[in-house]
Amino acid sequence: MKPARVRFAPSPTGHMHLGSARTALYDYLLAKQTGGQFILRIEDTDQKRYVKGAEQELIDGMRWLGLEWDEGPDVGGEYGPYRQSERKEIYQKYARQLIENDHAFYCFCTQDRLQKVREEQISNKIQAKYDGTCRNISLDEADKRIKNGESYVIRFKMPKTGTTSVHDHLRGNIVVENNTLDDSIIVKSDGLALYHLAAPVDDHLMKITHVLRGSEWLPTFPLHSLIHRAFGWEEPVWVHLSVFLKPSGKGKMSKREAIDLAKDGKSIFIKDLLELGYLPEAIINWIALMGWSYDDHTEFFLMNDLIEKFNLEKLNPSPAAINFTKFDYFNGLHIRNLSIPELSERIKPFFLEKGIFPSEEKLHMLTPIIQERLQTLDDAPDLAGFLFEEEITVNCDDLIAKNTTQSESLMILKEIYEIISKFPDVKHTTLETPMRELVEKLGYKPGQVFGILRVAVTGRMISPPLFESMEIIGREKVISRITGAIRLLEA
Ligand code: GLU
């Protein structure tokens, strides 16, 4: 395949979510796979919907996911500027060209009149759309009216009869009756172009070869296609991706649903997923498979595999339900795929956030013993944060092992103390044999003996592996905790 030039063209109108991340990912994969370019273009023509901070969130989110772009607002490039609000003059020039070629027209209709027409159409049960009043005003006359200060918009002149056929790479030919198409506004009365004009113009000028986007753009797809044709430009390959459905599979994801998900500790927003302890690798793996498959069984993919294996022909246009169970599963897989130093680095911020400051050394000791048990990174302080606490509370009843009396447990713990205090460290390799011998000598079950020790040094009935935990707690604290527990049992 020839090098593809693809653009991810988000509007900075809210949080970056899974749907936009998936579009960006497929763009990125196509560009990398073909040795082409991945372009970030900010589509901020709709100033009313502009959300401050949204662009930065996008940029941070994409970088965190590993979707670095070759051209974009912050990195520049040959075809900039890459923010539509900085390209106003370009769109004006192209709008005028469309008018001169009779593919667009100035429209002077007032809001009032348009509103009345609309109401009439609705009451007559006909499709509400522009009634064509200004379509045939000559360019000379229009220019005069503009000079006289009349307010106007620019509309695209849709064909009135026949049909238009547009081609989507996944969905094939889509044929629409032209009499259902509206003369859409492409430049507003304040002179600003709408997305409908800006996107095709930019796609052409930026030499975009493939447009990948959500299928919510299918209704305006004929308009965009026709704008390319009106200029005589070659169209990009159009790919309208599948929509995401609610986890239940019943209906599209909505704002409401997103709020409900948050109550369950789930989210569709990239910045939340970071905070919830998901790995970017897991997100990439998960969303890659929401609308694409390699074969019917391979599930684990890293970015490099995806770059190699991604294929437009294997995209699936059917809606895909968001499956968080699968997501947790992928997160687990990717956590276990990380090296110890790498995983230590990733769990560290989650400890810091809880006010726990483990040393690098202890973090490295801890990581292998919890790696198997982490589903998300933020499980780490819950599982093991107590190992770094100065003080623990021990419940006396917990110190009494099953099927033993208080005095038996006390005796066992004293024997344990005798052994542990004899050795210079509490390493697994040092204590394993003498402790096993002790169990043998005492004639109790290992679960009883180690259970008492576990409660004495961790305060818990369940903990990560005992000897490894003791190593992290450190010899001094282990000894003093055993002494404390002995006192508790004596009391
Ligand atoms: N700005 C549009 C959006 O955010 C982009 C659509 C397209 O890729 O053409 O959905």
Side-chain angles (χ1 to χ4, degrees), residues 298-436:
T298 317
E299 284 194 318
F300 185 84
F301 292 94
L302 291 168
M303 192 70 99
N304 280 341
D305 309 319
L306 292 171
I307 291 174
E308 189 189 311
K309 302 197 162 110
F310 180 71
N311 182 342
L312 282 181
E313 311 315 315
K314 287 270 193 146
L315 289 176
N316 185 345
S318 334
I322 299 182
N323 182 341
F324 283 97
T325 312
K326 197 92 207 190
F327 187 24
D328 285 335
Y329 163 75
F330 279 127
N331 210 49
L333 289 186
H334 284 273
I335 284 178
R336 284 175 258 307
N337 187 54
L338 293 180
S339 69
I340 298 301
E342 181 63 40
L343 181 56
S344 288
E345 252 332 284
R346 308 261 194 126
I347 55 178
K348 191 170 162 187
F350 292 89
F351 282 100
L352 302 186
E353 195 193 298
K354 293 247 160 100
I356 306 167
F357 303 94
S359 66
E360 291 296 308
E361 191 203 350
K362 294 225 158 155
L363 209 51
H364 278 219
M365 283 158 72
L366 170 73
T367 305
I369 67 176
I370 58 170
Q371 184 168 30
E372 279 301 317
R373 302 212 255 154
L374 295 176
Q375 193 165 64
T376 49
L377 299 175
D378 70 343
D379 289 343
D382 297 340
L383 278 174
F386 72 94
L387 294 175
F388 304 102
E389 275 161 19
E390 281 310 313
E391 302 288 333
I392 54 163
T393 1
V394 179
N395 179 350
C396 186
D397 287 343
D398 294 344
L399 283 169
I400 304 167
K402 209 167 158 205
N403 299 328
T404 70
T405 62
Q406 180 156 348
S407 59
E408 281 174 295
S409 285
L410 174 61
M411 180 274 290
I412 295 172
L413 193 53
K414 281 182 169 167
E415 294 276 349
I416 295 173
Y417 175 83
E418 286 307 316
I419 303 278
I420 294 187
S421 58
K422 261 201 320 226
F423 289 93
D425 61 61
V426 286
K427 286 197 182 122
H428 195 197
T429 43
T430 311
L431 292 180
E432 167 97 45
T433 316
M435 282 298 292
R436 295 277 165 209

Side-chain angles (χ1 to χ4, degrees), residues 8 25 43 45 51 60 71 156 171 183 222 265 283 337 365 376 415-416 434 475 490:
F8 173 51
L25 170 65
E43 301 208 321
T45 50
V51 173
D60 295 344
E71 298 168 29
F156 188 71
R171 296 154 207 269
D183 293 336
I283 301 177
N337 187 54
M365 283 158 72
T376 49
E415 294 276 349
I416 295 173
R475 180 176 187 273
E490 281 170 344

